[in-house]
Amino acid sequence: MNPTAISSQPLLLSDAEELRDLVESARRDGKTVALVPSMGALHAGHLSLVRAARAECDFTVATIFVNPTQFAPGEDYRCYRRTLDADLAALAALGVDVVFAPAVEQMYPDGHTTTVDVGGVALPLEGVCRPDHFRGVATVVLKLFHLAPAHVAYFGQKDYQQSLVVRQMVGDLDLPIRIRVCPIVREADGLALSSRNEYLSHSERRQALALSQSLRLASELYCVGERDAAVLRQRMREVFNSAGIGDIDYIALADRDRLEDVAVVGDETIALVAARVGKTRLIDNHLFDAPFAIHPAAR
Ligand code: PAF
């Protein structure tokens, strides 16, 4: 398939049965099916997943659903940006075949009670700060995997722990789907793309650079031989302090598979940070197996 070909408008569906019929028919025709789940408010990070899906599969389904069950009371569920028209235009330009944008009642009809608790890798870090978050993510992702039985699903490395949680669920529940995790897309100055960056004021946008700068510093120190996690964590904390960010949820140096803290950093380590800049909570991470690099948005 030629990923640069511009196709017509994707088919917009809100009905789960129609979605499943279409995907099953694509599979019967011998096509490999890609699923790109999202909550909309699409930015170049999401679009990089779509590009990968288009390049690697024959039939691409994107989903847009602001999933209420992964937000805690007081989080930004109500004000999360809903930009369906712009999202559809961006997905059409990339040649997506189907966009599934269900209503909340379609995904969670009255009487819905089943949830998915992954445990293990879902428990530290985000699991501590947002205790119900991954239950909501795993539940909706499992439902999407059933509604759109794709061969491959695409997730972004920015939500690194989420990708581990999804992989764990796929393994534990023997789901016949492959998980592809694509690199973080960053602004030229290093800020990881996030739908929540839109909430930042001009000065908060500058402060928010502390997240990527702390990761870049950790990477540079690692490249010149520093291996002590406590030293790296302290140097990263100083970057946040200099930026005037006091509300840090975590600065973690952890094993990349289990997310357990490490004392000695190696190629299998990941640095993960989460902090509030003003009222906006941001996350970012860096895998030490390669130097910190900026994957800019494709134009
Ligand atoms: O990463 C996201 O946008 C969401 O957590 C996901 C995977 C679409 C589930 O709602």
Side-chain angles (χ1 to χ4, degrees), residues 210-225:
L211 280 86
S212 56
Q213 282 168 349
S214 73
L215 296 166
R216 187 199 295 262
L217 174 65
S219 168
E220 286 167 1
L221 292 170
Y222 180 72
C223 288
V224 296

Side-chain angles (χ1 to χ4, degrees), residues 186 190 212-213 215-216 219 223 284-287 290-294:
R186 298 181 181 278
S212 56
Q213 282 168 349
L215 296 166
R216 187 199 295 262
S219 168
C223 288
D284 200 351
N285 64 75
H286 168 69
L287 287 160
F292 184 91
I294 294 181

